[in-house]
């Protein structure tokens, strides 16, 4: 399978714990995006990488959320001191340079108790 | 900022045609996407419009008018499997995509 993969697919954690999610993009894609989606809403942009450079990020990533893509391949999204409001589906997408099309991974569903 | 509006729900009959509208207000417009999302699954790409006009791809077509801030997705010969949420998303020059909340389409026999 050469699609976008995300791990874990499900994560249950207690409030106050830190969690880290991983995204492996399609191998030839230089662009990588993170989104958060809650029920009944569209995906909410979190951040975007071009290779290892983080080019754009929402205000959410200035606090408890951080993302990295150290070698320009896989990426991690960390949430520190989780809150119940962080419960959501976290989606990763990748895209090639030559188009702006994004291909989504299956997502990581986070439940904060 | 960006603002994207699309109807919350639509219902149509199998074999019919349905048009899902999307209006947007944005700065630095660079293109508009349509995605399909089945419940519990990730969005899948349907279409991408950069220039005004109609893009046809099989049973699905997408239209864009940049001057009006308007797009629609047209689904023909509806099938039961087309029941899903349809997401309109605007891409800005900064590379950021802003999604609408989606239109839940229910196809009835």
């Amino acid at each position: 399978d050469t699609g976008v993969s995300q791990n874990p697919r499900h994560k249950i954690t207690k409030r106050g714990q830190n969690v880290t999610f991983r995204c492996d993009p399609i191998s030839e894609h230089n662009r990588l995006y993170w989104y958060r989606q809650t029920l009944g809403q569209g995906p909410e942009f979190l951040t975007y990488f071009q290779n290892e450079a983080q080019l754009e990020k929402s205000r959410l990533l200035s606090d408890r959320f951080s993302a990295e893509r150290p070698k320009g391949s896989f990426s991690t999204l960390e949430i520190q001191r989780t809150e119940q409001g962080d419960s959501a589906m976290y989606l990763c997408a990748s895209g090639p340079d030559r188009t702006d099309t994004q291909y989504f991974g299956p997502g990581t569903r986070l439940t904060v108790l | 900022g960006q603002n994207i509006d699309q109807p919350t729900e639509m219902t149509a009959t199998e074999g019919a045609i349905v048009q899902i509208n999307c209006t947007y207000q944005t700065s630095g417009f660079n293109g508009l996407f349509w995605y399909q999302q089945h419940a519990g699954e990730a969005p899948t790409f349907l279409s991408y419009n950069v220039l005004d006009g109609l893009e046809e791809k099989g049973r699905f077509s997408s239209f864009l008018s940049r001057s009006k801030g308007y797009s629609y997705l047209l689904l023909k010969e509806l099938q039961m499997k087309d029941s899903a949420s349809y997401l309109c998303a605007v891409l800005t020059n900064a590379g950021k995509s802003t999604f609408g909340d989606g239109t839940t389409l229910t196809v009835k026999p």
Side-chain angles (χ1 to χ4, degrees):
Chain A
D1 184 16
T2 58
V4 179
S5 63
Q6 293 185 244
N7 288 288
R9 295 292 306 277
H10 303 273
K11 178 70 177 178
I12 300 173
T13 191
K14 292 183 179 179
R15 189 175 50 189
Q17 298 295 306
N18 299 343
V19 294
T20 300
F21 309 142
R22 176 177 170 128
C23 171
D24 287 89
I26 294 171
S27 59
E28 63 267 26
H29 287 180
N30 293 328
R31 298 183 181 181
L32 188 148
Y33 307 80
W34 284 101
Y35 295 88
R36 181 173 73 174
Q37 187 176 26
T38 54
L39 193 64
Q41 307 286 316
E44 176 186 14
F45 174 84
L46 294 178
T47 191
Y48 146 57
F49 290 87
Q50 173 79 26
N51 297 313
E52 65 274 11
Q54 190 172 22
L55 298 185
E56 182 78 12
K57 58 183 181 180
S58 80
R59 287 172 292 176
L60 280 174
L61 265 72
S62 63
D63 191 14
R64 298 180 295 106
F65 290 67
S66 62
E68 294 183 342
R69 195 184 183 195
K71 298 182 180 179
S73 55
F74 74 92
S75 176
T76 57
L77 176 70
E78 181 182 18
I79 308 174
Q80 296 181 329
R81 306 181 303 281
T82 53
E83 302 172 356
Q84 287 185 325
D86 297 332
S87 295
M89 176 73 85
Y90 290 83
L91 294 165
C92 174
S94 71
D97 275 342
R98 65 185 184 278
T99 76
D100 295 301
T101 303
Q102 297 176 34
Y103 299 89
F104 282 83
T108 295
R109 182 168 295 284
L110 173 66
T111 302
V112 182
L113 302 176
Chain B
Q2 285 103 25
N3 189 38
I4 298 174
D5 290 311
Q6 48 182 133
T8 304
E9 296 180 334
M10 297 185 72
T11 302
T13 304
E14 191 176 15
I17 299 173
V18 69
Q19 177 174 312
I20 302 174
N21 296 325
C22 171
T23 58
Y24 63 89
Q25 294 175 313
T26 188
S27 55
F29 178 85
N30 201 40
L32 187 142
F33 291 97
W34 282 97
Y35 285 87
Q36 180 191 60
Q37 187 174 28
H38 285 99
E41 299 181 10
T44 55
F45 170 80
L46 291 178
S47 67
Y48 177 45
N49 292 67
V50 177
L51 302 176
D52 289 353
L54 187 68
E55 296 275 346
E56 297 186 76
K57 190 182 295 184
R59 295 189 299 114
F60 293 2
S61 302
S62 57
F63 172 84
L64 176 67
S65 169
R66 290 173 297 171
S67 62
K68 296 181 179 178
Y70 168 69
S71 173
Y72 68 74
L73 179 69
L74 192 71
L75 291 76
K76 302 176 184 177
E77 301 169 14
L78 281 173
Q79 302 175 9
M80 299 298 290
K81 67 178 182 180
D82 296 330
S83 293
S85 179
Y86 290 86
L87 299 162
C88 171
V90 170
L91 179 70
T92 68
N93 291 336
K96 174 182 174 180
S97 289
T98 301
F99 282 77
D101 287 336
T103 298
T104 300
L105 173 66
T106 301
V107 180
K108 295 185 173 180

